[in-house]
Amino acid sequence: HAHWLFPIMHEDKKVLIEHLALRGFDAAEKASSIGVIAAPYGREKAVKMTEVFESLVYVPAHEVMSEADVKRLAAAIAEVSW
């Protein structure tokens, strides 16, 4: 079985992660192998991409989630989204 995380942007990721935890979902602020790399010398920094990554929350999305679980997750996200 594979357990996947799906990235979503959120204006207050700590609030969302806490909210999801209270509803039984394990969301995370970071993914181990994904991130913004430093720009090569003399090149502009990836400012916009850094901002995007700072707003990402990784929510569970895997094969053992039922349709009801996915709907519950979506509803929980909507409760604290803009």
Side-chain angles (χ1 to χ4, degrees):
H1 294 288
H3 293 272
W4 294 93
L5 298 175
F6 185 82
I8 62 172
M9 291 175 65
H10 196 273
E11 61 187 2
D12 193 338
K13 62 184 181 180
K14 294 204 183 292
V15 167
L16 177 59
I17 290 168
E18 197 172 292
H19 182 77
L20 293 177
L22 291 172
R23 281 147 184 79
F25 294 104
D26 186 21
E29 277 189 68
K30 297 180 180 179
S32 60
S33 62
I34 300 175
V36 179
I37 59 171
Y41 178 77
R43 301 283 303 268
E44 270 187 56
K45 293 181 180 180
V47 175
K48 183 62 177 172
M49 189 53 60
T50 299
E51 291 172 2
V52 168
F53 268 82
E54 288 174 355
S55 72
L56 291 179
V57 174
Y58 297 87
V59 297
H62 48 82
E63 64 188 33
V64 296
M65 289 178 72
S66 68
E67 185 175 338
D69 289 335
V70 173
K71 287 180 180 180
R72 221 170 39 83
L73 175 60
I77 293 168
E79 290 170 358
V80 292
S81 295
W82 63 105

